[in-house]
Amino acid sequence: MQEIGPGRRKEFCSETCRRGADRDYKRAKAHVEFFEEQLRRTQHEVATYGRRADEGVLTADEVVRLQSEARVALVRASTVAELGGDQPERIRAELDALVAAVRPILDAGQTLLAVHTA
């Protein structure tokens, strides 16, 4: 039962429930991390034979490269947005570069999500 009074509404009915939910969250997160690591290792093993696991699935090296490019594009676009002033062409170019850098990562994430749910 929620007590009516000042302050924030409680998220859990008791400390026991909060600890149980925290434990379940950490366990689920560990499972996801374990299976993502297994997926990366398997993709790397397949890549060592010069083949790709499936069309549209990125190798570990490709993911690292795309993430690096996306980080650089995000920082550049953020800086231009803050300091761009009256330079709409430059802002447009940086935002286009950001989209181009981030889209493959999001598309790969959809592929990974499909693999995890299959």
Coordinates of all heavy atoms in Angstrom, one line a residue, residues 25-93:
Y25 N 17.2 -7.8 -12.3 CA 17.7 -6.9 -13.4 C 19.2 -7.2 -13.6 O 19.6 -7.4 -14.8 CB 17.6 -5.4 -12.9 CG 18.3 -4.5 -13.8 CD1 17.8 -4.1 -15.1 CD2 19.6 -4.0 -13.5 CE1 18.5 -3.2 -15.9 CE2 20.3 -3.1 -14.3 CZ 19.7 -2.8 -15.5 OH 20.4 -1.9 -16.3
K26 N 20.0 -7.4 -12.6 CA 21.4 -7.7 -12.8 C 21.6 -9.0 -13.4 O 22.4 -9.2 -14.3 CB 22.1 -7.6 -11.4 CG 22.3 -6.2 -10.9 CD 23.0 -6.2 -9.6 CE 23.1 -4.8 -9.1 NZ 23.7 -4.7 -7.7
R27 N 20.8 -10.0 -13.1 CA 20.8 -11.3 -13.7 C 20.5 -11.3 -15.2 O 21.2 -11.8 -16.0 CB 19.9 -12.3 -12.9 CG 20.0 -13.7 -13.4 CD 19.1 -14.7 -12.7 NE 19.5 -14.7 -11.3 CZ 18.6 -14.7 -10.3 NH1 17.3 -14.7 -10.5 NH2 19.0 -14.7 -9.0
A28 N 19.4 -10.6 -15.5 CA 19.0 -10.4 -16.9 C 20.1 -9.7 -17.7 O 20.4 -10.1 -18.8 CB 17.7 -9.7 -17.0
K29 N 20.7 -8.6 -17.1 CA 21.7 -7.9 -17.8 C 22.9 -8.8 -18.1 O 23.5 -8.7 -19.1 CB 22.1 -6.7 -17.0 CG 23.0 -5.7 -17.6 CD 23.3 -4.5 -16.8 CE 24.4 -3.6 -17.4 NZ 24.7 -2.5 -16.6
A30 N 23.3 -9.6 -17.1 CA 24.4 -10.5 -17.2 C 24.2 -11.5 -18.3 O 25.1 -11.8 -19.1 CB 24.7 -11.2 -15.9
H31 N 22.9 -12.0 -18.4 CA 22.6 -12.9 -19.5 C 22.8 -12.3 -20.9 O 23.3 -12.9 -21.8 CB 21.1 -13.5 -19.4 CG 21.0 -14.6 -18.4 ND1 20.7 -14.4 -17.1 CD2 21.1 -15.9 -18.6 CE1 20.6 -15.5 -16.5 NE2 20.9 -16.5 -17.4
V32 N 22.3 -11.1 -21.0 CA 22.4 -10.4 -22.3 C 23.8 -10.2 -22.6 O 24.3 -10.4 -23.8 CB 21.6 -9.0 -22.2 CG1 22.0 -8.1 -23.4 CG2 20.1 -9.2 -22.1
E33 N 24.7 -9.7 -21.7 CA 26.1 -9.5 -21.9 C 26.8 -10.8 -22.3 O 27.6 -10.8 -23.2 CB 26.7 -8.9 -20.7 CG 26.3 -7.4 -20.5 CD 26.8 -6.9 -19.1 OE1 27.4 -7.6 -18.3 OE2 26.6 -5.7 -18.9
F34 N 26.4 -11.9 -21.7 CA 27.0 -13.2 -22.0 C 26.7 -13.6 -23.4 O 27.6 -14.0 -24.2 CB 26.5 -14.3 -21.0 CG 26.9 -15.6 -21.4 CD1 28.2 -16.1 -21.1 CD2 26.0 -16.5 -22.0 CE1 28.6 -17.4 -21.5 CE2 26.4 -17.8 -22.4 CZ 27.7 -18.2 -22.1
F35 N 25.5 -13.5 -23.8 CA 25.1 -13.9 -25.1 C 25.6 -13.0 -26.2 O 25.9 -13.4 -27.3 CB 23.6 -14.1 -25.3 CG 23.1 -15.3 -24.5 CD1 22.3 -15.3 -23.4 CD2 23.5 -16.6 -25.0 CE1 21.9 -16.4 -22.8 CE2 23.1 -17.7 -24.3 CZ 22.3 -17.6 -23.2
E36 N 25.7 -11.7 -25.9 CA 26.3 -10.7 -26.9 C 27.8 -11.1 -27.1 O 28.3 -11.1 -28.2 CB 26.2 -9.3 -26.4 CG 24.8 -8.7 -26.6 CD 24.6 -7.3 -26.0 OE1 25.4 -6.9 -25.2 OE2 23.6 -6.7 -26.4
E37 N 28.5 -11.4 -26.0 CA 29.9 -11.8 -26.1 C 30.0 -13.1 -26.9 O 30.9 -13.3 -27.8 CB 30.5 -12.0 -24.8 CG 32.0 -12.5 -24.8 CD 32.9 -11.5 -25.5 OE1 32.6 -10.3 -25.5 OE2 33.9 -11.9 -26.0
Q38 N 29.1 -14.1 -26.7 CA 29.1 -15.3 -27.5 C 28.9 -15.0 -29.0 O 29.5 -15.6 -29.8 CB 28.0 -16.3 -27.0 CG 28.3 -16.9 -25.6 CD 29.5 -17.8 -25.6 OE1 30.6 -17.4 -25.1 NE2 29.4 -18.9 -26.2
L39 N 28.0 -14.1 -29.3 CA 27.7 -13.8 -30.6 C 28.9 -13.1 -31.3 O 29.3 -13.5 -32.4 CB 26.5 -12.8 -30.7 CG 26.2 -12.2 -32.1 CD1 25.8 -13.4 -33.0 CD2 25.1 -11.2 -32.0
R40 N 29.6 -12.2 -30.6 CA 30.8 -11.6 -31.1 C 31.9 -12.6 -31.4 O 32.5 -12.6 -32.4 CB 31.3 -10.5 -30.1 CG 30.6 -9.2 -30.2 CD 31.3 -8.1 -29.5 NE 31.3 -8.3 -28.0 CZ 30.4 -8.0 -27.2 NH1 29.3 -7.4 -27.6 NH2 30.4 -8.2 -25.9
R41 N 32.1 -13.5 -30.4 CA 33.1 -14.6 -30.6 C 32.8 -15.5 -31.8 O 33.7 -15.8 -32.6 CB 33.2 -15.4 -29.4 CG 33.9 -14.7 -28.3 CD 34.0 -15.7 -27.1 NE 34.6 -15.0 -25.9 CZ 34.8 -15.5 -24.8 NH1 34.5 -16.8 -24.6 NH2 35.4 -14.8 -23.8
T42 N 31.5 -15.8 -32.0 CA 31.1 -16.7 -33.1 C 31.3 -16.0 -34.4 O 31.8 -16.5 -35.4 CB 29.7 -17.2 -32.9 OG1 29.6 -17.8 -31.6 CG2 29.3 -18.1 -34.0
Q43 N 30.9 -14.7 -34.4 CA 31.1 -13.9 -35.7 C 32.6 -13.8 -36.0 O 33.0 -13.9 -37.1 CB 30.5 -12.5 -35.5 CG 29.0 -12.5 -35.5 CD 28.4 -11.2 -35.2 OE1 29.0 -10.3 -34.6 NE2 27.1 -11.0 -35.7
H44 N 33.4 -13.6 -35.0 CA 34.8 -13.5 -35.2 C 35.4 -14.8 -35.7 O 36.2 -14.8 -36.6 CB 35.5 -13.1 -33.9 CG 37.0 -12.9 -34.0 ND1 37.6 -11.9 -34.7 CD2 38.1 -13.6 -33.6 CE1 38.9 -12.0 -34.7 NE2 39.2 -13.0 -34.0
E45 N 35.0 -15.9 -35.2 CA 35.4 -17.2 -35.6 C 35.0 -17.4 -37.1 O 35.9 -17.9 -37.9 CB 34.8 -18.3 -34.8 CG 35.4 -18.4 -33.4 CD 34.7 -19.5 -32.5 OE1 33.9 -20.2 -33.0 OE2 35.0 -19.5 -31.3
V46 N 33.8 -17.1 -37.5 CA 33.4 -17.2 -38.9 C 34.2 -16.3 -39.7 O 34.7 -16.7 -40.8 CB 31.9 -16.9 -39.0 CG1 31.5 -16.8 -40.4 CG2 31.1 -18.0 -38.3
A47 N 34.5 -15.1 -39.3 CA 35.3 -14.1 -40.1 C 36.7 -14.6 -40.3 O 37.3 -14.3 -41.3 CB 35.3 -12.8 -39.4
T48 N 37.3 -15.4 -39.3 CA 38.6 -15.9 -39.5 C 38.7 -16.8 -40.7 O 39.8 -17.0 -41.2 CB 39.1 -16.6 -38.2 OG1 38.3 -17.7 -37.9 CG2 39.2 -15.6 -37.1
Y49 N 37.6 -17.4 -41.0 CA 37.6 -18.3 -42.2 C 37.4 -17.6 -43.5 O 37.2 -18.2 -44.5 CB 36.6 -19.4 -42.0 CG 37.0 -20.4 -40.9 CD1 36.3 -20.3 -39.7 CD2 38.0 -21.3 -41.0 CE1 36.6 -21.2 -38.7 CE2 38.4 -22.1 -40.0 CZ 37.6 -22.1 -38.8 OH 38.0 -22.9 -37.8
G50 N 37.3 -16.2 -43.4 CA 37.1 -15.4 -44.6 C 35.7 -15.3 -45.1 O 35.4 -14.9 -46.2
R51 N 34.8 -15.7 -44.2 CA 33.4 -15.7 -44.6 C 32.6 -14.9 -43.5 O 33.0 -14.8 -42.4 CB 32.8 -17.1 -44.7 CG 33.5 -17.9 -45.7 CD 32.9 -19.3 -45.7 NE 33.7 -20.1 -46.7 CZ 33.7 -21.4 -46.6 NH1 33.0 -22.1 -45.7 NH2 34.4 -22.1 -47.5
R52 N 31.5 -14.4 -43.9 CA 30.6 -13.7 -43.0 C 29.5 -14.7 -42.5 O 29.1 -15.5 -43.3 CB 29.9 -12.5 -43.7 CG 31.0 -11.5 -44.0 CD 30.4 -10.3 -44.6 NE 29.6 -9.6 -43.6 CZ 29.5 -8.3 -43.5 NH1 30.1 -7.6 -44.3 NH2 28.8 -7.8 -42.5
A53 N 29.1 -14.5 -41.3 CA 28.1 -15.4 -40.7 C 26.8 -15.3 -41.5 O 26.3 -16.3 -42.0 CB 27.8 -15.1 -39.3
D54 N 26.3 -14.2 -41.7 CA 25.0 -13.9 -42.4 C 25.1 -12.6 -43.1 O 25.8 -11.7 -42.6 CB 23.8 -13.9 -41.5 CG 23.4 -15.3 -41.0 OD1 23.5 -16.2 -41.8 OD2 23.1 -15.4 -39.8
E55 N 24.4 -12.4 -44.2 CA 24.4 -11.1 -44.8 C 23.8 -10.1 -43.9 O 22.8 -10.4 -43.3 CB 23.6 -11.2 -46.1 CG 23.6 -10.0 -47.0 CD 25.1 -9.7 -47.4 OE1 25.8 -10.6 -47.7 OE2 25.4 -8.5 -47.5
G56 N 24.4 -9.0 -43.7 CA 23.9 -7.9 -42.9 C 24.4 -8.0 -41.5 O 24.1 -7.1 -40.7
V57 N 25.1 -9.1 -41.1 CA 25.7 -9.2 -39.7 C 27.1 -8.7 -39.8 O 27.9 -9.2 -40.6 CB 25.6 -10.6 -39.2 CG1 26.2 -10.8 -37.9 CG2 24.1 -11.1 -39.2
L58 N 27.4 -7.8 -38.9 CA 28.7 -7.2 -38.9 C 29.7 -8.0 -38.1 O 29.4 -8.6 -37.1 CB 28.7 -5.8 -38.3 CG 27.7 -4.8 -39.0 CD1 27.6 -3.5 -38.3 CD2 28.2 -4.5 -40.4
T59 N 31.0 -8.0 -38.5 CA 32.0 -8.6 -37.7 C 32.4 -7.7 -36.5 O 32.0 -6.5 -36.5 CB 33.3 -8.8 -38.5 OG1 33.8 -7.5 -38.9 CG2 33.0 -9.7 -39.8
A60 N 33.1 -8.2 -35.6 CA 33.5 -7.4 -34.4 C 34.3 -6.2 -34.8 O 34.1 -5.1 -34.3 CB 34.2 -8.2 -33.4
D61 N 35.2 -6.3 -35.8 CA 36.0 -5.2 -36.2 C 35.2 -4.1 -36.9 O 35.4 -2.9 -36.8 CB 37.1 -5.7 -37.2 CG 38.2 -6.6 -36.5 OD1 38.3 -6.4 -35.3 OD2 38.8 -7.3 -37.2
E62 N 34.2 -4.6 -37.7 CA 33.3 -3.6 -38.3 C 32.5 -2.8 -37.3 O 32.3 -1.6 -37.5 CB 32.4 -4.3 -39.3 CG 33.1 -4.9 -40.5 CD 32.2 -5.8 -41.4 OE1 31.3 -6.5 -40.8 OE2 32.4 -5.7 -42.6
V63 N 32.0 -3.5 -36.3 CA 31.2 -2.8 -35.2 C 32.1 -1.8 -34.5 O 31.7 -0.6 -34.3 CB 30.7 -3.8 -34.2 CG1 30.1 -3.1 -33.0 CG2 29.6 -4.7 -34.9
V64 N 33.3 -2.1 -34.2 CA 34.2 -1.2 -33.5 C 34.5 0.0 -34.4 O 34.5 1.2 -34.0 CB 35.5 -1.9 -33.1 CG1 36.6 -0.9 -32.7 CG2 35.3 -2.9 -32.0
R65 N 34.8 -0.2 -35.7 CA 35.0 0.9 -36.7 C 33.8 1.8 -36.8 O 33.9 3.0 -36.7 CB 35.4 0.3 -38.0 CG 35.7 1.4 -39.1 CD 35.9 0.8 -40.5 NE 34.9 -0.1 -41.0 CZ 33.7 0.4 -41.5 NH1 33.5 1.7 -41.6 NH2 32.8 -0.5 -41.9
L66 N 32.6 1.2 -36.9 CA 31.4 2.0 -37.0 C 31.1 2.8 -35.8 O 30.7 3.9 -35.8 CB 30.2 1.1 -37.4 CG 30.1 0.5 -38.8 CD1 29.0 -0.5 -38.9 CD2 30.0 1.6 -39.8
Q67 N 31.3 2.2 -34.6 CA 31.1 2.9 -33.4 C 32.1 4.1 -33.3 O 31.7 5.2 -32.8 CB 31.3 2.0 -32.2 CG 30.2 1.0 -32.0 CD 30.4 0.0 -30.9 OE1 31.5 -0.3 -30.5 NE2 29.3 -0.5 -30.4
S68 N 33.3 3.9 -33.7 CA 34.3 5.0 -33.6 C 33.9 6.1 -34.6 O 33.9 7.3 -34.2 CB 35.7 4.4 -34.0 OG 36.6 5.5 -34.1
E69 N 33.5 5.8 -35.8 CA 33.0 6.8 -36.7 C 31.8 7.5 -36.2 O 31.7 8.7 -36.4 CB 32.7 6.1 -38.1 CG 34.0 5.7 -38.8 CD 33.6 4.9 -40.1 OE1 32.4 4.8 -40.5 OE2 34.6 4.4 -40.8
A70 N 30.9 6.8 -35.6 CA 29.7 7.4 -35.0 C 30.0 8.4 -33.9 O 29.4 9.5 -33.8 CB 28.7 6.3 -34.6
R71 N 30.9 8.0 -33.0 CA 31.3 8.9 -31.9 C 31.9 10.2 -32.5 O 31.6 11.3 -32.0 CB 32.3 8.2 -31.0 CG 31.7 7.2 -30.1 CD 32.7 6.7 -29.0 NE 32.2 5.6 -28.4 CZ 32.5 4.3 -28.7 NH1 33.3 4.1 -29.7 NH2 32.0 3.3 -28.1
V72 N 32.8 10.1 -33.5 CA 33.4 11.3 -34.1 C 32.4 12.1 -34.7 O 32.3 13.4 -34.5 CB 34.5 10.8 -35.1 CG1 35.0 12.0 -35.9 CG2 35.7 10.2 -34.4
A73 N 31.5 11.5 -35.5 CA 30.4 12.3 -36.2 C 29.5 13.0 -35.2 O 29.1 14.1 -35.4 CB 29.6 11.4 -37.1
L74 N 29.2 12.3 -34.1 CA 28.3 12.9 -33.0 C 29.0 14.1 -32.4 O 28.3 15.1 -32.2 CB 28.0 11.8 -32.0 CG 27.0 12.3 -30.9 CD1 25.7 12.7 -31.5 CD2 26.8 11.2 -29.9
V75 N 30.2 14.0 -32.1 CA 31.0 15.1 -31.4 C 31.0 16.3 -32.4 O 30.8 17.4 -32.0 CB 32.4 14.7 -31.0 CG1 33.2 15.9 -30.6 CG2 32.3 13.7 -29.8
R76 N 31.3 16.0 -33.7 CA 31.4 17.1 -34.7 C 30.1 17.8 -34.9 O 30.0 19.0 -34.9 CB 31.9 16.5 -36.0 CG 33.4 16.1 -36.0 CD 33.8 15.5 -37.4 NE 33.5 16.5 -38.4 CZ 34.4 17.1 -39.1 NH1 35.6 16.9 -38.9 NH2 34.0 17.9 -40.1
A77 N 29.0 17.0 -35.0 CA 27.7 17.6 -35.2 C 27.3 18.4 -34.0 O 26.7 19.4 -34.1 CB 26.7 16.5 -35.5
S78 N 27.6 17.8 -32.8 CA 27.2 18.6 -31.6 C 28.0 19.9 -31.5 O 27.4 20.9 -31.1 CB 27.6 17.7 -30.4 OG 27.4 18.4 -29.2
T79 N 29.2 19.9 -31.8 CA 30.0 21.1 -31.8 C 29.5 22.1 -32.8 O 29.4 23.3 -32.5 CB 31.5 20.8 -32.1 OG1 32.0 19.9 -31.1 CG2 32.4 22.1 -32.0
V80 N 29.2 21.7 -34.0 CA 28.7 22.6 -35.0 C 27.4 23.1 -34.6 O 27.1 24.3 -34.8 CB 28.6 21.9 -36.4 CG1 27.9 22.7 -37.4 CG2 30.0 21.6 -36.9
A81 N 26.5 22.3 -34.0 CA 25.2 22.8 -33.6 C 25.3 23.9 -32.5 O 24.6 24.8 -32.5 CB 24.4 21.6 -33.0
E82 N 26.3 23.7 -31.6 CA 26.6 24.7 -30.6 C 27.2 26.0 -31.1 O 26.8 27.1 -30.7 CB 27.5 24.1 -29.5 CG 26.8 23.1 -28.6 CD 27.8 22.5 -27.6 OE1 28.9 23.1 -27.4 OE2 27.5 21.4 -27.1
L83 N 28.1 25.8 -32.1 CA 28.9 27.0 -32.5 C 28.6 27.4 -33.9 O 29.2 28.4 -34.4 CB 30.4 26.7 -32.4 CG 30.9 26.2 -31.1 CD1 32.4 25.8 -31.2 CD2 30.7 27.3 -30.0
G84 N 27.6 26.7 -34.6 CA 27.3 26.9 -36.0 C 26.9 28.3 -36.4 O 27.3 28.8 -37.4
G85 N 26.2 29.0 -35.5 CA 25.8 30.3 -35.8 C 24.9 30.4 -37.1 O 23.9 29.7 -37.2
D86 N 25.4 31.2 -38.1 CA 24.6 31.4 -39.3 C 25.3 30.6 -40.5 O 25.4 31.1 -41.6 CB 24.5 32.8 -39.6 CG 25.9 33.5 -39.8 OD1 26.9 32.9 -39.4 OD2 26.0 34.6 -40.2
Q87 N 25.7 29.3 -40.2 CA 26.3 28.5 -41.3 C 25.4 27.3 -41.6 O 25.8 26.2 -41.3 CB 27.7 28.0 -40.8 CG 28.6 29.2 -40.5 CD 30.0 28.6 -40.0 OE1 30.2 27.4 -40.1 NE2 30.8 29.5 -39.5
P88 N 24.2 27.5 -42.2 CA 23.3 26.4 -42.4 C 23.9 25.3 -43.3 O 23.6 24.1 -43.1 CB 22.1 27.0 -43.1 CG 22.5 28.4 -43.5 CD 23.7 28.8 -42.7
E89 N 24.8 25.6 -44.3 CA 25.3 24.6 -45.1 C 26.2 23.6 -44.3 O 26.2 22.4 -44.5 CB 26.1 25.2 -46.3 CG 25.3 26.1 -47.2 CD 25.2 27.5 -46.7 OE1 26.1 27.9 -45.9 OE2 24.3 28.2 -47.1
R90 N 27.1 24.2 -43.5 CA 28.0 23.4 -42.6 C 27.2 22.5 -41.6 O 27.5 21.4 -41.4 CB 29.0 24.3 -41.9 CG 29.9 23.4 -41.1 CD 31.2 24.2 -40.7 NE 32.0 23.3 -40.0 CZ 32.8 23.6 -39.0 NH1 32.8 24.9 -38.6 NH2 33.5 22.7 -38.4
I91 N 26.2 23.1 -41.0 CA 25.3 22.4 -40.1 C 24.7 21.2 -40.8 O 24.7 20.1 -40.3 CB 24.3 23.3 -39.4 CG1 25.0 24.3 -38.5 CG2 23.3 22.5 -38.7 CD1 24.1 25.4 -38.0
R92 N 24.1 21.5 -42.0 CA 23.5 20.4 -42.8 C 24.5 19.3 -43.1 O 24.2 18.1 -43.0 CB 22.9 21.1 -44.1 CG 22.4 20.1 -45.1 CD 21.1 19.6 -44.7 NE 20.7 18.6 -45.7 CZ 19.4 18.3 -45.9 NH1 18.5 18.8 -45.2 NH2 19.2 17.4 -46.8
A93 N 25.7 19.7 -43.5 CA 26.7 18.7 -43.9 C 27.1 17.8 -42.7 O 27.2 16.6 -42.8 CB 27.9 19.4 -44.5

